[in-house]
Amino acid sequence: MKLFTSVHDVPSIKQFVKDALELKANPYAHQSLGKNKTLGLVFMNPSLRTRLSTQKAALNLGMNVMVMNMDKEGWALETQDGVVMNGSTVEHIREAAAVMGQYCDILGLRSFPKLADREEDYSEDFFNKFVKYCAVPVVSLESATRHPLQSFADIITIHETWNTPPPLGEAGRGLPKVVLAWAPHVKALPQAVPNSFAEWMCKAQAEGMINFTIAQPKGYELAEQFTPGADIQYNIEEALSGADYVYVKNWSSYKEYGKVLSTPDGWMMNNELLKFTNDAKVMHCLPVRRDLELSSEILDGPNSLVIHEAGNRLWAAQAVIKAILEEL
């Protein structure tokens, strides 16, 4: 593995989950892989779980780690070619990324969309240019359209907590019903997390691991490239029927790009909606706005997996970094 930006970089989800859980059982077994190697983490936007889990994962593998918060500590970057830099930008991404590649063996990059121009955001122009000019392996710490480390941690969590033998996805076992459920929010949020979750769950469904449903109000359909094989529902109560896992997340409209549309009441996940499920476990990538996206009664109750899920961010990151180190 030389690049980790989506589930398409993973040959087998089942095998990758197995690799991550082996690391969880023995975190320091591969420290020689990272000896005298450096991971650089570059953040264009804020981070808590992604920064700490990826940094810890690299340390577990014996690596040195450097962190650069470009939004606060770096120069303003120019990304367009052929422009005279006589404005607010100070350094071109060509030089900035190339220099970082001189100092690091692997780089992680986090950048958010502007939610103003769908074509620009979905082209992943900034991320792709960074990959091109840095000339070392790159791990996505979230981009304009995807958050693969989060989604990998999510499928690890589902695998660990689906506790009816035999193992997840093997013959003779019923498959868990996983529902991605849209939730309200006070502002427009990117589609990166739901895109990525849907993409990973659709591949997991194709690998015979789960059954996957997406529930959202009309107008909040994700781009079709991320939802092949998903059961799309517009009634939250019907979608939740028989659900074993509910993944709660807000996102803004893709068709009316970046907009928050008027939506009906009753989409915040709470214990009343939980009654329609198969006593489902509830997941969220965090941070979460309590009693807006997800009720406190669920977050503080026995059905919440949000902390377990966040803990698995470490093992997802460690499995990815280990796979890249093995190719260096």
Side-chain angles (χ1 to χ4, degrees), residues 9-325:
D9 298 312
V10 179
S12 166
I13 293 179
K14 288 182 183 178
Q15 183 59 50
F16 215 25
V17 168
K18 181 180 177 182
D19 295 343
L21 292 176
E22 287 176 355
L23 289 167
K24 186 172 184 176
N26 198 354
Y28 309 111
H30 302 279
Q31 288 193 327
S32 61
L33 273 177
K35 185 177 180 181
N36 299 326
K37 299 289 195 302
T38 298
L39 174 69
L41 301 178
V42 183
F43 292 94
M44 310 299 296
N45 304 93
S47 177
L48 189 159
R49 281 149 294 276
T50 300
R51 172 174 174 166
L52 295 180
S53 61
T54 310
Q55 189 168 358
K56 173 64 174 171
L59 294 172
N60 284 355
L61 290 166
M63 299 186 77
N64 301 310
V65 183
M66 297 192 296
V67 179
M68 184 74 184
N69 295 302
M70 289 294 292
D71 58 331
K72 301 177 182 66
E73 302 164 349
W75 303 112
L77 292 182
E78 177 61 59
T79 61
Q80 299 302 310
D81 291 324
V83 299
V84 177
M85 291 174 54
N86 58 0
S88 59
T89 55
V90 177
E91 184 163 18
H92 202 283
I93 192 172
R94 285 175 174 262
E95 288 78 47
V99 167
M100 293 178 196
Q102 292 290 303
Y103 303 148
C104 301
D105 300 281
I106 303 171
L107 283 164
L109 175 65
R110 182 184 184 98
S111 63
F112 289 172
K114 298 175 183 177
L115 287 182
D117 184 324
R118 187 174 75 183
E119 183 177 349
E120 177 185 347
D121 287 343
Y122 273 68
S123 74
E124 293 283 12
D125 180 65
F126 178 84
F127 199 95
N128 291 334
K129 283 179 176 175
F130 186 91
V131 170
K132 178 181 179 180
Y133 298 131
C134 75
V136 297
V138 174
V139 176
S140 172
L141 307 176
E142 189 172 1
S143 70
T145 64
R146 292 178 172 96
H147 195 349
L149 284 176
Q150 178 63 55
S151 304
F152 184 21
D154 297 333
I155 193 65
I156 293 169
T157 304
I158 292 170
H159 176 93
E160 276 190 303
T161 57
W162 183 240
N163 54 14
T164 305
L168 183 65
E170 292 190 6
R173 180 181 191 178
L175 300 181
K177 178 179 177 179
V178 180
V179 178
L180 169 61
W182 183 91
H185 207 280
V186 293
K187 65 177 184 179
L189 294 185
Q191 296 101 37
V193 169
N195 280 349
S196 190
F197 185 81
E199 195 170 49
W200 281 71
M201 294 304 121
C202 287
K203 184 170 181 178
Q205 181 170 258
E207 290 189 21
M209 299 174 71
I210 65 163
N211 292 315
F212 182 51
T213 296
I214 301 174
Q216 80 256 312
K218 290 281 187 179
Y220 284 99
E221 296 83 0
L222 299 170
E224 291 183 358
Q225 71 191 80
F226 298 101
T227 62
D231 178 23
I232 310 295
Q233 298 283 338
Y234 297 98
N235 182 299
I236 184 64
E237 294 178 2
E238 291 178 7
L240 291 175
S241 177
D244 299 293
Y245 294 87
V246 181
Y247 195 94
V248 176
K249 188 70 181 79
N250 172 267
W251 62 90
S252 59
S253 176
Y254 171 76
K255 291 183 178 180
E256 296 186 53
Y257 192 63
K259 293 185 178 180
V260 177
L261 310 176
S262 59
T263 56
D265 294 332
W267 281 83
M268 184 191 74
M269 193 68 194
N270 56 26
N271 281 346
E272 283 301 307
L273 284 178
L274 200 63
K275 293 177 182 177
F276 292 93
T277 74
N278 185 28
D279 195 28
K281 299 297 184 183
V282 180
M283 304 171 69
H284 190 286
C285 63
L286 302 180
V288 61
R289 294 193 181 220
R290 282 172 170 257
D291 299 312
L292 175 65
E293 292 177 86
L294 184 54
S295 66
S296 292
E297 63 186 6
I298 286 183
L299 283 166
D300 298 331
N303 293 74
S304 175
L305 287 180
V306 298
I307 303 303
H308 186 139
E309 181 185 358
N312 279 334
R313 290 294 308 275
L314 170 56
W315 314 115
Q318 192 163 335
V320 170
I321 297 169
K322 176 179 176 286
I324 293 175
L325 284 171

